[in-house]
């Protein structure tokens, strides 16, 4: 099957950087932007230039160094925002302005105190204005997740008419169920006038832990861009995690979808973002967490030692992790102990292993994890005639 491409729009430096405590300076942003380009992302959302002089300078600096990816800047549907974004993107080889407005009844009433017609008008005006600066304009219908589909299709049709090249359908509050979000995208592919001239984009937040599932439902139903961040960082519970959607598409080739991402750089990129932002990655985080390829129960360890595929669906080297880890704990079995002992230089006979294993269990019950130094000591006190 010929895989269709899903564009990866990385917003680590915009939606991700909005997280309290994650602020980066321009130098740090440049390092990450270069790495994102190496990773193979199609679009780098570099910032929101009107928000501060620092953000303006970062978007400008990133525009100067990025060679292949599109560099994108966020704006509200406000003329000044668009002018400032265009200025910050002046040096970009492939500039994109990302403009938009809230479309849910709640946003229309409480944020804008406007009517649906006025919202459409403001959206179209902003897009038309942005098109006077750049050819590539992405429109976001903020809170599209809670916007009724018929009105959303109307807004999107007008956005395309005004010149939008990409339609971003954000589930801003992380409210949708995957079936619901997928159906929304399908409805738009069938009801938006001129949809063949635009790409639909998924931008899903993780308030109910469904961001990744929703983005995948979106591309299965016709979207061809996913907006995501490294490690899933972003407002509140975060955004769709880049590493997750990339590996889901790769592990399920029957979907017929793939990205340009060099997955071997995923782990390193996750470390870089985590360290630069001082944002710890939870150990059980899919793909890049410290335990993502670590096995600690005896049954699993025995299986993995016999054949990695018994308990792993991804080869760790495919995402840049050197090897699976066999972690020794009180739940580990003889196979794991023998495996570790061999790694550090002891070839134990079955009888020796039985004796050492009894000592090991006493030790492991007192410690969370048994490390190499402990194994040396356990073998020594087991008195099995091996000289240390
Ligand atoms: O979550 C959201 O709706 C956004 C838009 C500004 C694209 O981040
Ligand atoms: Zn967002």
């Amino acid at each position: 099957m010929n895989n269709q491409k899903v564009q990866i729009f990385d917003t680590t430096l915009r939606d991700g950087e909005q997280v309290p405590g994650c602020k980066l300076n321009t130098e740090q942003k440049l390092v990450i932007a270069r790495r994102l380009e190496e990773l193979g992302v199609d679009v780098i959302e570099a910032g929101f230039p009107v928000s501060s002089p620092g953000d303006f300078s970062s978007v400008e600096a990133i525009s100067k160094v990025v060679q292949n990816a599109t560099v994108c800047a966020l704006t509200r549907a406000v003329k000044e925002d668009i002018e400032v974004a265009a200025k910050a993107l002046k040096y970009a080889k492939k500039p994109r302005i990302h403009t938009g407005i809230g479309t849910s009844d709640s946003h229309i009433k409480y944020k804008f105190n406007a009517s649906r017609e006025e919202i459409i008008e403001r959206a179209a005006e902003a897009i038309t204005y942005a098109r006077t600066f750049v050819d590539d304009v992405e429109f976001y219908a903020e809170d599209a997740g809670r916007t009724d589909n018929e009105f959303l299709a109307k807004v999107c049709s007008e956005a395309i008419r005004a010149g939008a090249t990409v339609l971003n359908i954000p589930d801003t509050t992380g409210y949708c169920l995957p079936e619901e979000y997928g159906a929304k995208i399908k409805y738009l592919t069938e009801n938006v006038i001129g949809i063949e001239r635009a790409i639909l984009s998924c931008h899903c937040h993780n308030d109910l832990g469904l961001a990744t599932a929703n983005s995948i439902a979106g591309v299965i139903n016709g979207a061809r861009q996913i907006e995501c961040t490294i490690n899933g960082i972003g407002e509140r519970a975060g955004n769709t995690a880049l590493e997750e959607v990339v590996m889901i598409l790769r592990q399920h080739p029957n979907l017929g979808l793939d990205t340009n991402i060099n997955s071997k750089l995923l782990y390193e990129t996750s470390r870089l973002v985590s360290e630069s932002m001082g944002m710890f990655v939870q150990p059980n985080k899919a793909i890049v967490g410290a335990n993502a390829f670590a096995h600690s129960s005896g049954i699993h360890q025995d299986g993995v030692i016999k054949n990695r595929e018994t308990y792993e669906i991804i080869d760790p080297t495919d995402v840049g992790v050197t090897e699976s880890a066999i972690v020794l704990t009180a739940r580990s079995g003889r196979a794991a102990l023998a495996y570790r002992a061999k790694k550090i230089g002891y070839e134990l006979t079955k009888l020796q292993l039985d004796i050492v294993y009894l000592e090991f269990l006493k030790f492991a019950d007192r410690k969370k994890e048994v490390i190499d130094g402990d194994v040396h000591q356990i073998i020594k006190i087991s008195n099995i005639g091996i000289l240390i």
Side-chain angles (χ1 to χ4, degrees):
M1 188 189 301
N2 234 349
N3 276 341
Q4 282 198 45
K5 278 284 175 263
V6 172
Q7 307 261 308
I8 292 293
F9 174 116
D10 181 277
T11 184
T12 304
L13 298 176
R14 199 279 296 168
D15 216 322
E17 206 242 6
Q18 281 170 214
V19 175
C22 284
K23 187 156 173 8
L24 301 173
N25 60 38
T26 299
E27 265 323 299
Q28 291 170 311
K29 285 189 190 176
L30 278 171
V31 172
I32 292 178
R34 286 195 180 98
R35 170 55 59 84
L36 290 173
E37 190 162 46
E38 247 181 279
L39 183 65
V41 310
D42 302 282
V43 185
I44 298 174
E45 187 163 49
F48 182 14
V50 84
S51 66
S52 76
D55 220 37
F56 178 93
S57 307
S58 297
V59 175
E60 190 177 49
I62 290 169
S63 298
K64 285 179 183 166
V65 302
V66 168
Q67 298 298 317
N68 301 311
T70 294
V71 179
C72 177
L74 185 77
T75 81
R76 295 165 295 180
V78 170
K79 274 194 159 183
E80 189 204 345
D81 287 26
I82 294 167
E83 283 156 17
V84 174
K87 212 165 153 201
L89 290 170
K90 186 173 147 201
Y91 301 100
K93 295 207 163 50
K94 295 186 208 163
R96 176 182 294 179
I97 291 179
H98 188 191
T99 190
I101 194 160
T103 54
S104 65
D105 288 339
S106 151
H107 279 224
I108 295 175
K109 180 169 174 200
Y110 298 114
K111 274 179 67 178
F112 303 109
N113 188 25
S115 66
R116 284 184 163 187
E117 290 64 38
E118 281 165 332
I119 291 296
I120 292 184
E121 214 172 286
R122 282 168 69 169
E125 263 177 33
I127 295 163
T128 308
Y129 192 53
R131 280 295 304 257
T132 65
F133 298 101
V134 294
D135 291 335
D136 189 3
V137 173
E138 174 167 338
F139 169 71
Y140 65 86
E142 198 182 8
D143 205 14
R146 293 187 298 168
T147 301
D148 85 66
N149 289 348
E150 209 179 307
F151 176 60
L152 189 58
K154 209 166 160 192
V155 179
C156 289
S157 302
E158 290 306 318
I160 293 174
R161 202 181 6 192
T165 45
V166 181
L167 300 172
N168 178 9
I169 310 302
D171 185 21
T172 305
T173 58
Y175 170 77
C176 289
L177 294 172
E179 289 75 12
E180 200 179 350
Y181 189 77
K184 189 176 283 289
I185 297 294
K186 186 164 189 287
Y187 182 88
L188 296 175
T189 62
E190 290 166 355
N191 292 281
V192 170
I193 301 163
I195 193 65
E196 63 290 346
R197 299 200 299 278
I199 291 177
L200 283 165
S201 179
C202 311
H203 179 114
C204 298
H205 279 269
N206 204 32
D207 299 67
L208 292 172
L210 291 171
T212 294
N214 284 343
S215 296
I216 295 297
V219 292
I220 287 174
N221 283 283
R224 284 294 173 268
Q225 178 176 278
I226 295 179
E227 310 200 1
C228 46
T229 59
I230 301 294
N231 301 333
I233 58 165
E235 282 278 339
R236 306 181 308 281
N239 287 62
T240 301
L242 180 149
E243 60 278 5
E244 293 175 11
V245 288
V246 166
M247 291 314 292
I248 289 169
L249 297 184
R250 211 135 289 169
Q251 297 307 116
H252 287 274
N254 56 321
L255 293 176
L257 300 168
D258 201 5
T259 66
N260 288 323
I261 297 297
N262 174 2
S263 65
K264 290 195 187 297
L265 294 178
L266 286 173
Y267 182 69
E268 237 179 84
T269 310
S270 159
R271 299 304 316 150
L272 172 70
V273 169
S274 165
E275 279 158 25
S276 314
M277 291 189 165
M279 188 80 166
F280 171 77
V281 176
Q282 69 192 63
N284 58 328
K285 168 80 187 62
I287 319 293
V288 293
N291 293 346
F293 298 98
H295 307 272
S296 55
S297 91
I299 297 170
H300 290 206
Q301 290 175 331
D302 183 49
V304 170
I305 290 166
K306 286 175 177 147
N307 186 324
R308 191 191 57 73
E309 287 180 17
T310 52
Y311 287 95
E312 278 182 1
I313 57 159
I314 299 172
D315 181 338
T317 61
D318 285 350
V319 298
V321 173
T322 330
E323 59 177 353
S324 316
I326 299 291
V327 183
L328 293 181
T329 71
R331 303 290 154 262
S332 299
R334 284 175 178 71
L337 179 60
Y339 175 80
R340 178 68 69 81
K342 191 172 176 187
K343 275 205 146 192
I344 59 171
Y346 306 100
E347 192 81 56
L348 301 175
T349 65
K350 189 174 175 313
L351 189 62
Q352 286 171 327
L353 179 61
D354 285 343
I355 299 166
V356 175
Y357 187 64
L358 289 178
E359 280 308 323
F360 164 79
L361 284 181
K362 284 188 227 160
F363 204 96
D365 265 337
R366 297 194 304 269
K367 272 196 97 182
K368 280 194 194 318
E369 186 184 335
V370 177
I371 58 172
D372 288 356
D374 301 329
V375 178
H376 284 297
Q377 206 193 330
I378 292 165
I379 290 175
K380 188 172 175 190
I381 58 177
S382 299
N383 218 358
I384 51 170
I386 292 182
L387 292 179
I388 312 280

